Amino acid sequence: MQLTCNLEIQMAESILDSLRAGGKKLTKPRKAILAILEQSSLPITVAEIADQLKKARAAVDLVTVYRNVAMLQELKLVNPVGLHEGQMRYEFRHGREHHHHIQCRGCGQIVDLMLCPLKKLTELIEEQTKFVIEGHALEFFGWCPQCQ
Ligand SMILES: [Zn+2]
Ligand SMILES: [Zn+2]
Ligand SMILES: [Zn+2]
């Protein structure tokens, strides 16, 4: 219990630091959006965030959610996850290891893949292109056991 509380305080402070560094304030809608992203175990869309805000009776319009998510992405507090659905998903970054995802084409369920096979390849690409690589995107699609 104590540990959970401490972790929450630490997290809030580091988020505040990131916002401060970006010259942003932790406004009420921003706080609500961050809380939803933080509590979501899987990447969610802007529409889903707006839905949850509505359910929590927080009146935040879609444009505000879009703007805030874009800002949080700029501050590297959230990662975009592209699953080729016609809309991006976003995942809270803090306290989560770098990882990838797989999505079922049938039911749409997403599973975290807590691994990254690209370390060697990254070194190879840097060597060949002289680029300094900042990140990469790698998502998988397929059919889950129920949808096969
Ligand atoms: Zn499925
Ligand atoms: Zn994930
Ligand atoms: Zn990776």
Side-chain angles (χ1 to χ4, degrees), residues 8 28 49 66-67 81 96 98 108 111 131 133 141:
E8 269 171 21
K28 240 185 180 177
I49 295 171
Y66 266 110
R67 276 203 205 117
V81 178
R96 288 178 193 174
H98 168 76
V111 177
F131 271 55
I133 292 177
F141 320 102

Side-chain angles (χ1 to χ4, degrees), residues 22-132:
K24 312 286 182 190
K25 282 182 189 141
L26 193 61
T27 59
K28 240 185 180 177
R30 209 160 272 167
K31 205 173 170 181
I33 292 164
L34 266 171
I36 289 168
L37 279 158
E38 193 230 319
Q39 280 155 29
S40 172
S41 58
L42 290 165
I44 53 174
T45 65
V46 166
E48 285 167 351
I49 295 171
D51 258 11
Q52 289 198 34
L53 286 167
K54 215 174 183 181
K55 271 181 209 151
R57 289 164 199 273
V60 184
D61 62 83
L62 207 58
V63 177
T64 306
V65 181
Y66 266 110
R67 276 203 205 117
N68 274 285
V69 169
M71 187 270 296
L72 293 171
Q73 189 184 334
E74 250 170 58
L75 296 177
K76 297 196 176 358
L77 285 168
V78 300
N79 276 339
V81 178
L83 291 166
H84 295 241
E85 303 163 284
Q87 56 185 342
M88 288 301 279
R89 288 179 179 274
Y90 299 89
E91 188 169 53
F92 199 65
R93 189 163 159 158
H94 190 92
R96 288 178 193 174
E97 258 177 73
H98 168 76
H99 63 280
H100 298 277
H101 303 94
I102 186 163
Q103 186 178 40
C104 176
R105 283 302 192 204
C107 62
Q109 72 159 309
I110 299 166
V111 177
D112 276 339
L113 304 170
M114 298 310 292
L115 52 87
C116 179
L118 296 182
K119 279 188 188 125
K120 267 252 158 67
L121 186 63
T122 301
E123 283 169 24
L124 205 77
I125 294 168
E126 284 189 329
E127 220 177 275
Q128 285 194 1
T129 63
K130 308 296 173 209
F131 271 55
V132 175

